[in-house]
Amino acid sequence: MIQDDTQPVRLVVWDLDDTFWHGTLSEGGIAYRRDLHDVVVTLARRGIVSSICSKNDPAPVRAELERQGIWDYFVFSSIDWSAKGPRLAGLVDAVQLRAPTILFIDDNPMNLAEAQHYVQGIQVADAACAAGLLDDPRLAGKDDAGLTRLAQYQLLQRRHIEASVAGDNTAFLRGSDIRVSIEHDLTPHLDRAVELINRTNQLNYTKQRLPEDPAEARAALAAQLLDFRLQAGILRVRDRYGDYGYCGLYVVATGASRRRLVQFCFSCRVLDMGVQTWLWRRLGKPLLRTSGEVAAPVDQPGEVDWITLEAPDGPATRESPRAGPDHVYARGGCDLAAVTHYFGLSEGSVVSELSAARQGTVVLWHHSMFARYAIEGVHPAEMEAFRLLGYQDGAFDSYLARLARGEAQVSQAQPEHAGARSLWVLSFWSDLSARLYRHRATGAMLPLAVAGGLIPPQRPAGARDVPGDQALVARIAENFEFVGATPEADYRRNLRLLLQLAPRGTQVFILLAQEARPGRDGMVSVQPRNRTFNEWTRQVAGDFANVTTLPMEEFLTSQDDLLEGTHYDRMVYYRIYERIMRGVEAVAA
């Protein structure tokens, strides 16, 4: 009987003599068991594959199984006269499955004991129970009438055979033509994404499981992906041996602080390909807290130069290396963290300057006043004023400041570098939302936001003070006066300064503020003030041939795209990326 074990079985390893058939093949005369033949076929249609570990001569065994039309249903078969224990251990490594998901069937109790000695955790059963396998809940599997899982293990088998012959594993991988495509719209792939999260183990680094009920799991994942700070992708892997299907998933939290991986999991069928290391590096090495044991650490030494990023077959949500920019500079709010995530997957460098909290105030890098101070510098008297707010020397130093001083690395955009492309992506939405305060003595203006609260007169009467901010608020009230939104003249001046600084050959895209939202009968106007602000932006941008303005309405398809506050569904940010990529590719062509 099968031992008491709750692990679902994914692979059945069969003995042959007096198990899969009656009699001993080498002694002449066997009675083929059609009932077990049908068991193997049915298991394959449930997504459970079969293998062989037999003491026999391989040629007559293959001839008999081919005659019966069942040979191709077995993968990684081991047929010789050596001890079965070491061969089973090698089989477990080759099929890249955990031992508790493998069932070994043999009529000899000694062979079963040997299997458990060499392969800790393997399930075993005697030949008598073989006919009842289809009724065992651990072999229920799931519908796979197309035999896709069998085909995938046949691919692994071919790769394993050639890798064994090659000797040099790196050379073998470089000759395998491994190609990865990434799709970012997970809606058509929610079932597979749930399966990767809940069923992978050896290459599941975070092990953040979803509910076991499939409907609840899909709903939970879909709800999680509504967070605009989460970007995701599902990976399809192919090589010269065939298509391994969708076998990798990542969900990464973006934002002003260090990015971190929420989900990072892969099917064992890509074990030893280096896909997880390749992807982690392309994502910019986000923080990854590994949970439990994994088959391979993600931070492997050496280059992973044998994997090519390719576009998926379909037209939607592609990730293509054809004409991506060599250098991307992004200056804006947290929304740009979502947009630039996709550029980070390309080979080019990405410099992001987003809002961040420092010394109790929010540094609004995406406000145009910060761009002015970065480019023109800050007078010592102005710096003294800003110190009252907790800023230290160098607080306004940034990529723009270094570029203005001629210190930034901008060789990617220099005309002598043939074919190089530099891209800037900008947004100035905080010029609409943040409020300027003017230092009474110097006249210097700065947008201010106290972390966790509002500054008078923005703070409503009777509002609770934010602990720890009272002293800062007092200094602001004593030394600064309230201005409000950025005056038109200052905004135009700041934007012009910034656009004039862009190195020659740089393409610049500016995200305009949202003026309307999707409604039942088309777009509904929501922000008249935004329309005026956008007109200022368009007028300044119109003086620069390399600048393109992007209306947010172009990327909004339904009310579902609008999230709480001023944020959007993550696919809106992907559409922005796609639109910018089309602009980059048009110039490259």
Side-chain angles (χ1 to χ4, degrees), residues 383-417:
M383 193 64 230
E384 285 298 323
F386 296 150
R387 284 195 184 94
L388 294 173
L389 306 175
Y391 291 108
Q392 305 298 322
D393 291 338
F396 299 95
D397 195 18
S398 64
Y399 174 81
L400 287 183
R402 295 189 296 275
L403 190 61
R405 297 194 301 264
E407 299 172 359
Q409 297 295 318
V410 296
S411 60
Q412 294 92 338
Q414 298 305 307
E416 61 268 20
H417 289 260

mmCIF file of all heavy atoms in Angstrom, residues 383-417:
data_model
loop_
_atom_site.group_PDB
_atom_site.id
_atom_site.type_symbol
_atom_site.label_atom_id
_atom_site.label_comp_id
_atom_site.label_asym_id
_atom_site.label_seq_id
_atom_site.Cartn_x
_atom_site.Cartn_y
_atom_site.Cartn_z
ATOM 1 N N MET A 383 19.960 79.370 1.548
ATOM 2 C CA MET A 383 20.245 78.095 2.211
ATOM 3 C C MET A 383 20.052 78.214 3.716
ATOM 4 O O MET A 383 19.566 77.280 4.372
ATOM 5 C CB MET A 383 21.675 77.648 1.882
ATOM 6 C CG MET A 383 21.956 76.193 2.250
ATOM 7 S SD MET A 383 20.956 75.026 1.298
ATOM 8 C CE MET A 383 20.292 74.012 2.609
ATOM 9 N N GLU A 384 20.396 79.384 4.274
ATOM 10 C CA GLU A 384 20.158 79.597 5.692
ATOM 11 C C GLU A 384 18.665 79.508 5.999
ATOM 12 O O GLU A 384 18.249 78.952 7.028
ATOM 13 C CB GLU A 384 20.705 80.969 6.116
ATOM 14 C CG GLU A 384 22.214 81.021 6.243
ATOM 15 C CD GLU A 384 22.743 80.084 7.314
ATOM 16 O OE1 GLU A 384 22.074 79.931 8.366
ATOM 17 O OE2 GLU A 384 23.805 79.475 7.097
ATOM 18 N N ALA A 385 17.857 80.053 5.094
ATOM 19 C CA ALA A 385 16.413 79.986 5.291
ATOM 20 C C ALA A 385 15.928 78.549 5.227
ATOM 21 O O ALA A 385 15.103 78.113 6.044
ATOM 22 C CB ALA A 385 15.712 80.841 4.233
ATOM 23 N N PHE A 386 16.460 77.801 4.290
ATOM 24 C CA PHE A 386 16.009 76.423 4.125
ATOM 25 C C PHE A 386 16.480 75.536 5.267
ATOM 26 O O PHE A 386 15.863 74.503 5.545
ATOM 27 C CB PHE A 386 16.491 75.873 2.783
ATOM 28 C CG PHE A 386 15.899 76.587 1.588
ATOM 29 C CD1 PHE A 386 16.592 76.688 0.392
ATOM 30 C CD2 PHE A 386 14.648 77.178 1.668
ATOM 31 C CE1 PHE A 386 16.056 77.347 -0.694
ATOM 32 C CE2 PHE A 386 14.095 77.831 0.581
ATOM 33 C CZ PHE A 386 14.798 77.932 -0.601
ATOM 34 N N ARG A 387 17.569 75.945 5.934
ATOM 35 C CA ARG A 387 18.028 75.169 7.088
ATOM 36 C C ARG A 387 17.003 75.210 8.216
ATOM 37 O O ARG A 387 16.943 74.310 9.055
ATOM 38 C CB ARG A 387 19.384 75.696 7.580
ATOM 39 C CG ARG A 387 20.565 75.289 6.702
ATOM 40 C CD ARG A 387 21.895 75.523 7.427
ATOM 41 N NE ARG A 387 23.024 75.232 6.553
ATOM 42 C CZ ARG A 387 23.665 76.139 5.818
ATOM 43 N NH1 ARG A 387 23.280 77.412 5.878
ATOM 44 N NH2 ARG A 387 24.667 75.802 5.049
ATOM 45 N N LEU A 388 16.223 76.279 8.251
ATOM 46 C CA LEU A 388 15.171 76.358 9.258
ATOM 47 C C LEU A 388 14.168 75.222 9.092
ATOM 48 O O LEU A 388 13.445 74.871 10.031
ATOM 49 C CB LEU A 388 14.443 77.704 9.153
ATOM 50 C CG LEU A 388 15.267 78.952 9.484
ATOM 51 C CD1 LEU A 388 14.465 80.210 9.160
ATOM 52 C CD2 LEU A 388 15.690 78.945 10.955
ATOM 53 N N LEU A 389 14.129 74.664 7.886
ATOM 54 C CA LEU A 389 13.199 73.575 7.591
ATOM 55 C C LEU A 389 13.849 72.204 7.725
ATOM 56 O O LEU A 389 13.237 71.194 7.411
ATOM 57 C CB LEU A 389 12.648 73.741 6.174
ATOM 58 C CG LEU A 389 12.012 75.107 5.882
ATOM 59 C CD1 LEU A 389 11.605 75.197 4.417
ATOM 60 C CD2 LEU A 389 10.830 75.342 6.790
ATOM 61 N N GLY A 390 15.124 72.190 8.136
ATOM 62 C CA GLY A 390 15.810 70.917 8.324
ATOM 63 C C GLY A 390 16.701 70.497 7.175
ATOM 64 O O GLY A 390 17.327 69.431 7.242
ATOM 65 N N TYR A 391 16.789 71.320 6.117
ATOM 66 C CA TYR A 391 17.634 70.951 4.985
ATOM 67 C C TYR A 391 19.095 71.282 5.290
ATOM 68 O O TYR A 391 19.405 72.303 5.906
ATOM 69 C CB TYR A 391 17.187 71.685 3.726
ATOM 70 C CG TYR A 391 15.845 71.223 3.211
ATOM 71 C CD1 TYR A 391 14.716 72.033 3.330
ATOM 72 C CD2 TYR A 391 15.695 69.973 2.633
ATOM 73 C CE1 TYR A 391 13.482 71.610 2.885
ATOM 74 C CE2 TYR A 391 14.464 69.536 2.177
ATOM 75 C CZ TYR A 391 13.359 70.361 2.308
ATOM 76 O OH TYR A 391 12.145 69.928 1.864
ATOM 77 N N GLN A 392 19.996 70.411 4.836
ATOM 78 C CA GLN A 392 21.424 70.582 5.034
ATOM 79 C C GLN A 392 22.087 70.935 3.714
ATOM 80 O O GLN A 392 21.475 70.864 2.644
ATOM 81 C CB GLN A 392 22.030 69.290 5.613
ATOM 82 C CG GLN A 392 21.367 68.819 6.898
ATOM 83 C CD GLN A 392 21.493 69.817 8.025
ATOM 84 O OE1 GLN A 392 22.535 70.456 8.178
ATOM 85 N NE2 GLN A 392 20.432 69.971 8.821
ATOM 86 N N ASP A 393 23.366 71.314 3.786
ATOM 87 C CA ASP A 393 24.112 71.589 2.560
ATOM 88 C C ASP A 393 24.065 70.365 1.651
ATOM 89 O O ASP A 393 24.239 69.232 2.098
ATOM 90 C CB ASP A 393 25.574 71.923 2.886
ATOM 91 C CG ASP A 393 25.714 73.264 3.590
ATOM 92 O OD1 ASP A 393 24.789 74.091 3.450
ATOM 93 O OD2 ASP A 393 26.730 73.471 4.279
ATOM 94 N N GLY A 394 23.845 70.604 0.369
ATOM 95 C CA GLY A 394 23.747 69.506 -0.594
ATOM 96 C C GLY A 394 22.357 68.953 -0.738
ATOM 97 O O GLY A 394 22.133 68.022 -1.521
ATOM 98 N N ALA A 395 21.384 69.521 0.014
ATOM 99 C CA ALA A 395 20.023 68.976 -0.039
ATOM 100 C C ALA A 395 19.410 69.116 -1.424
ATOM 101 O O ALA A 395 18.538 68.335 -1.799
ATOM 102 C CB ALA A 395 19.144 69.672 0.989
ATOM 103 N N PHE A 396 19.851 70.108 -2.196
ATOM 104 C CA PHE A 396 19.284 70.326 -3.525
ATOM 105 C C PHE A 396 20.176 69.764 -4.621
ATOM 106 O O PHE A 396 19.905 69.955 -5.807
ATOM 107 C CB PHE A 396 19.033 71.821 -3.754
ATOM 108 C CG PHE A 396 18.056 72.395 -2.771
ATOM 109 C CD1 PHE A 396 18.502 73.015 -1.616
ATOM 110 C CD2 PHE A 396 16.695 72.275 -2.980
ATOM 111 C CE1 PHE A 396 17.598 73.517 -0.692
ATOM 112 C CE2 PHE A 396 15.783 72.781 -2.064
ATOM 113 C CZ PHE A 396 16.239 73.410 -0.907
ATOM 114 N N ASP A 397 21.241 69.099 -4.208
ATOM 115 C CA ASP A 397 22.100 68.458 -5.200
ATOM 116 C C ASP A 397 21.344 67.271 -5.798
ATOM 117 O O ASP A 397 20.678 66.522 -5.099
ATOM 118 C CB ASP A 397 23.395 67.978 -4.547
ATOM 119 C CG ASP A 397 24.449 67.635 -5.582
ATOM 120 O OD1 ASP A 397 24.310 68.075 -6.744
ATOM 121 O OD2 ASP A 397 25.404 66.918 -5.240
ATOM 122 N N SER A 398 21.441 67.123 -7.098
ATOM 123 C CA SER A 398 20.694 66.072 -7.775
ATOM 124 C C SER A 398 21.334 65.831 -9.125
ATOM 125 O O SER A 398 22.345 66.450 -9.485
ATOM 126 C CB SER A 398 19.227 66.491 -7.955
ATOM 127 O OG SER A 398 19.150 67.625 -8.809
ATOM 128 N N TYR A 399 20.736 64.919 -9.879
ATOM 129 C CA TYR A 399 21.226 64.678 -11.242
ATOM 130 C C TYR A 399 21.191 65.968 -12.050
ATOM 131 O O TYR A 399 22.130 66.273 -12.796
ATOM 132 C CB TYR A 399 20.373 63.607 -11.911
ATOM 133 C CG TYR A 399 20.712 63.378 -13.372
ATOM 134 C CD1 TYR A 399 21.791 62.576 -13.735
ATOM 135 C CD2 TYR A 399 19.954 63.973 -14.375
ATOM 136 C CE1 TYR A 399 22.108 62.372 -15.071
ATOM 137 C CE2 TYR A 399 20.260 63.770 -15.709
ATOM 138 C CZ TYR A 399 21.334 62.971 -16.055
ATOM 139 O OH TYR A 399 21.658 62.775 -17.377
ATOM 140 N N LEU A 400 20.127 66.762 -11.905
ATOM 141 C CA LEU A 400 20.044 68.026 -12.640
ATOM 142 C C LEU A 400 21.170 68.969 -12.244
ATOM 143 O O LEU A 400 21.761 69.642 -13.103
ATOM 144 C CB LEU A 400 18.696 68.699 -12.367
ATOM 145 C CG LEU A 400 17.460 68.099 -13.020
ATOM 146 C CD1 LEU A 400 16.245 68.950 -12.703
ATOM 147 C CD2 LEU A 400 17.636 67.969 -14.524
ATOM 148 N N ALA A 401 21.461 69.035 -10.956
ATOM 149 C CA ALA A 401 22.537 69.914 -10.496
ATOM 150 C C ALA A 401 23.881 69.472 -11.067
ATOM 151 O O ALA A 401 24.680 70.303 -11.525
ATOM 152 C CB ALA A 401 22.578 69.925 -8.968
ATOM 153 N N ARG A 402 24.126 68.171 -11.038
ATOM 154 C CA ARG A 402 25.396 67.676 -11.584
ATOM 155 C C ARG A 402 25.461 67.893 -13.094
ATOM 156 O O ARG A 402 26.520 68.175 -13.647
ATOM 157 C CB ARG A 402 25.552 66.191 -11.241
ATOM 158 C CG ARG A 402 25.685 65.945 -9.737
ATOM 159 C CD ARG A 402 26.065 64.515 -9.424
ATOM 160 N NE ARG A 402 25.040 63.568 -9.817
ATOM 161 C CZ ARG A 402 23.989 63.247 -9.071
ATOM 162 N NH1 ARG A 402 23.804 63.849 -7.900
ATOM 163 N NH2 ARG A 402 23.104 62.365 -9.480
ATOM 164 N N LEU A 403 24.312 67.755 -13.755
ATOM 165 C CA LEU A 403 24.271 67.991 -15.196
ATOM 166 C C LEU A 403 24.557 69.457 -15.495
ATOM 167 O O LEU A 403 25.301 69.787 -16.433
ATOM 168 C CB LEU A 403 22.901 67.590 -15.734
ATOM 169 C CG LEU A 403 22.728 67.537 -17.250
ATOM 170 C CD1 LEU A 403 23.664 66.512 -17.865
ATOM 171 C CD2 LEU A 403 21.281 67.206 -17.607
ATOM 172 N N ALA A 404 23.996 70.370 -14.689
ATOM 173 C CA ALA A 404 24.226 71.800 -14.888
ATOM 174 C C ALA A 404 25.689 72.160 -14.676
ATOM 175 O O ALA A 404 26.226 73.065 -15.339
ATOM 176 C CB ALA A 404 23.325 72.599 -13.955
ATOM 177 N N ARG A 405 26.349 71.437 -13.760
ATOM 178 C CA ARG A 405 27.775 71.687 -13.494
ATOM 179 C C ARG A 405 28.682 70.938 -14.453
ATOM 180 O O ARG A 405 29.908 71.048 -14.370
ATOM 181 C CB ARG A 405 28.109 71.294 -12.055
ATOM 182 C CG ARG A 405 27.388 72.108 -10.995
ATOM 183 C CD ARG A 405 28.015 71.893 -9.626
ATOM 184 N NE ARG A 405 28.004 70.512 -9.210
ATOM 185 C CZ ARG A 405 27.066 69.958 -8.425
ATOM 186 N NH1 ARG A 405 26.051 70.717 -7.993
ATOM 187 N NH2 ARG A 405 27.120 68.702 -8.076
ATOM 188 N N GLY A 406 28.102 70.124 -15.328
ATOM 189 C CA GLY A 406 28.912 69.345 -16.269
ATOM 190 C C GLY A 406 29.544 68.126 -15.664
ATOM 191 O O GLY A 406 30.504 67.580 -16.212
ATOM 192 N N GLU A 407 28.977 67.655 -14.520
ATOM 193 C CA GLU A 407 29.573 66.521 -13.816
ATOM 194 C C GLU A 407 28.819 65.221 -14.029
ATOM 195 O O GLU A 407 29.346 64.146 -13.746
ATOM 196 C CB GLU A 407 29.606 66.812 -12.314
ATOM 197 C CG GLU A 407 30.424 68.036 -11.948
ATOM 198 C CD GLU A 407 30.269 68.410 -10.498
ATOM 199 O OE1 GLU A 407 29.493 67.719 -9.788
ATOM 200 O OE2 GLU A 407 30.892 69.393 -10.062
ATOM 201 N N ALA A 408 27.593 65.278 -14.521
ATOM 202 C CA ALA A 408 26.791 64.056 -14.666
ATOM 203 C C ALA A 408 27.263 63.243 -15.859
ATOM 204 O O ALA A 408 27.808 63.775 -16.831
ATOM 205 C CB ALA A 408 25.316 64.418 -14.831
ATOM 206 N N GLN A 409 27.054 61.935 -15.778
ATOM 207 C CA GLN A 409 27.398 61.037 -16.873
ATOM 208 C C GLN A 409 26.286 61.095 -17.917
ATOM 209 O O GLN A 409 25.237 60.500 -17.753
ATOM 210 C CB GLN A 409 27.579 59.610 -16.357
ATOM 211 C CG GLN A 409 28.722 59.448 -15.380
ATOM 212 C CD GLN A 409 30.071 59.718 -16.022
ATOM 213 O OE1 GLN A 409 30.320 59.298 -17.145
ATOM 214 N NE2 GLN A 409 30.931 60.429 -15.319
ATOM 215 N N VAL A 410 26.509 61.830 -18.976
ATOM 216 C CA VAL A 410 25.490 61.979 -20.016
ATOM 217 C C VAL A 410 26.000 61.503 -21.361
ATOM 218 O O VAL A 410 25.471 61.850 -22.394
ATOM 219 C CB VAL A 410 25.025 63.455 -20.133
ATOM 220 C CG1 VAL A 410 24.342 63.904 -18.869
ATOM 221 C CG2 VAL A 410 26.214 64.366 -20.435
ATOM 222 N N SER A 411 27.050 60.686 -21.362
ATOM 223 C CA SER A 411 27.638 60.253 -22.633
ATOM 224 C C SER A 411 26.642 59.515 -23.506
ATOM 225 O O SER A 411 26.768 59.482 -24.713
ATOM 226 C CB SER A 411 28.854 59.356 -22.371
ATOM 227 O OG SER A 411 28.481 58.210 -21.635
ATOM 228 N N GLN A 412 25.606 58.926 -22.860
ATOM 229 C CA GLN A 412 24.614 58.199 -23.649
ATOM 230 C C GLN A 412 23.929 59.114 -24.650
ATOM 231 O O GLN A 412 23.440 58.677 -25.679
ATOM 232 C CB GLN A 412 23.547 57.578 -22.736
ATOM 233 C CG GLN A 412 24.082 56.490 -21.822
ATOM 234 C CD GLN A 412 24.509 57.054 -20.485
ATOM 235 O OE1 GLN A 412 24.793 58.241 -20.376
ATOM 236 N NE2 GLN A 412 24.571 56.205 -19.478
ATOM 237 N N ALA A 413 23.861 60.411 -24.326
ATOM 238 C CA ALA A 413 23.118 61.330 -25.181
ATOM 239 C C ALA A 413 24.022 62.142 -26.104
ATOM 240 O O ALA A 413 23.544 62.985 -26.835
ATOM 241 C CB ALA A 413 22.304 62.286 -24.306
ATOM 242 N N GLN A 414 25.329 61.913 -26.037
ATOM 243 C CA GLN A 414 26.218 62.711 -26.869
ATOM 244 C C GLN A 414 26.121 62.288 -28.323
ATOM 245 O O GLN A 414 26.073 61.100 -28.643
ATOM 246 C CB GLN A 414 27.660 62.565 -26.376
ATOM 247 C CG GLN A 414 27.859 63.075 -24.951
ATOM 248 C CD GLN A 414 27.396 64.509 -24.779
ATOM 249 O OE1 GLN A 414 27.813 65.385 -25.523
ATOM 250 N NE2 GLN A 414 26.497 64.747 -23.839
ATOM 251 N N PRO A 415 26.108 63.234 -29.261
ATOM 252 C CA PRO A 415 25.892 62.900 -30.676
ATOM 253 C C PRO A 415 26.972 62.028 -31.262
ATOM 254 O O PRO A 415 26.721 61.305 -32.216
ATOM 255 C CB PRO A 415 25.847 64.287 -31.344
ATOM 256 C CG PRO A 415 26.533 65.216 -30.388
ATOM 257 C CD PRO A 415 26.245 64.677 -29.030
ATOM 258 N N GLU A 416 28.176 62.063 -30.685
ATOM 259 C CA GLU A 416 29.233 61.246 -31.282
ATOM 260 C C GLU A 416 29.029 59.761 -31.025
ATOM 261 O O GLU A 416 29.688 58.923 -31.629
ATOM 262 C CB GLU A 416 30.609 61.685 -30.764
ATOM 263 C CG GLU A 416 30.796 61.540 -29.256
ATOM 264 C CD GLU A 416 30.429 62.808 -28.517
ATOM 265 O OE1 GLU A 416 29.698 63.635 -29.087
ATOM 266 O OE2 GLU A 416 30.890 62.959 -27.369
ATOM 267 N N HIS A 417 28.120 59.421 -30.120
ATOM 268 C CA HIS A 417 27.819 58.013 -29.863
ATOM 269 C C HIS A 417 26.688 57.602 -30.796
ATOM 270 O O HIS A 417 25.512 57.794 -30.492
ATOM 271 C CB HIS A 417 27.427 57.803 -28.397
ATOM 272 C CG HIS A 417 28.584 57.960 -27.457
ATOM 273 N ND1 HIS A 417 29.274 56.902 -26.935
ATOM 274 C CD2 HIS A 417 29.201 59.070 -26.990
ATOM 275 C CE1 HIS A 417 30.253 57.339 -26.159
ATOM 276 N NE2 HIS A 417 30.225 58.660 -26.168
#
